[in-house]
Amino acid sequence: MLDRLATEVQAGLHENPDPDAFWPTFATQSSLVLEAAGPEHFDWVSSEVSSILMKHGISVPEA
């Protein structure tokens, strides 16, 4: 699932680099990955999701 998320991030940024369009889609996709991880793997998967973003030079927006 993480590989697929990484591919979708790259494709999504290529298709539409506008952050306002990127974040809602990414939030939905990453939530599915995190939910599938379950509590025992949540921290590791969350770290991997952050690494995917960092690899593409994306910072999580301030809340």
Side-chain angles (χ1 to χ4, degrees):
M1 289 185 90
L2 286 168
D3 289 338
R4 181 176 176 198
L5 180 64
T7 301
E8 290 174 357
V9 166
Q10 185 173 359
L13 289 170
H14 179 66
E15 291 171 13
N16 192 351
D18 178 12
D20 292 334
F22 171 79
W23 284 111
T25 301
F26 179 78
T28 299
Q29 294 168 339
S30 62
S31 290
L32 293 172
V33 172
L34 290 166
E35 287 173 13
E40 65 276 3
H41 300 291
F42 183 87
D43 290 338
W44 181 80
V45 172
S46 180
S47 176
E48 291 296 304
V49 169
S50 294
S51 293
I52 290 169
L53 293 173
M54 287 176 32
K55 177 182 175 186
H56 294 286
I58 303 168
S59 305
V60 177
E62 297 288 327

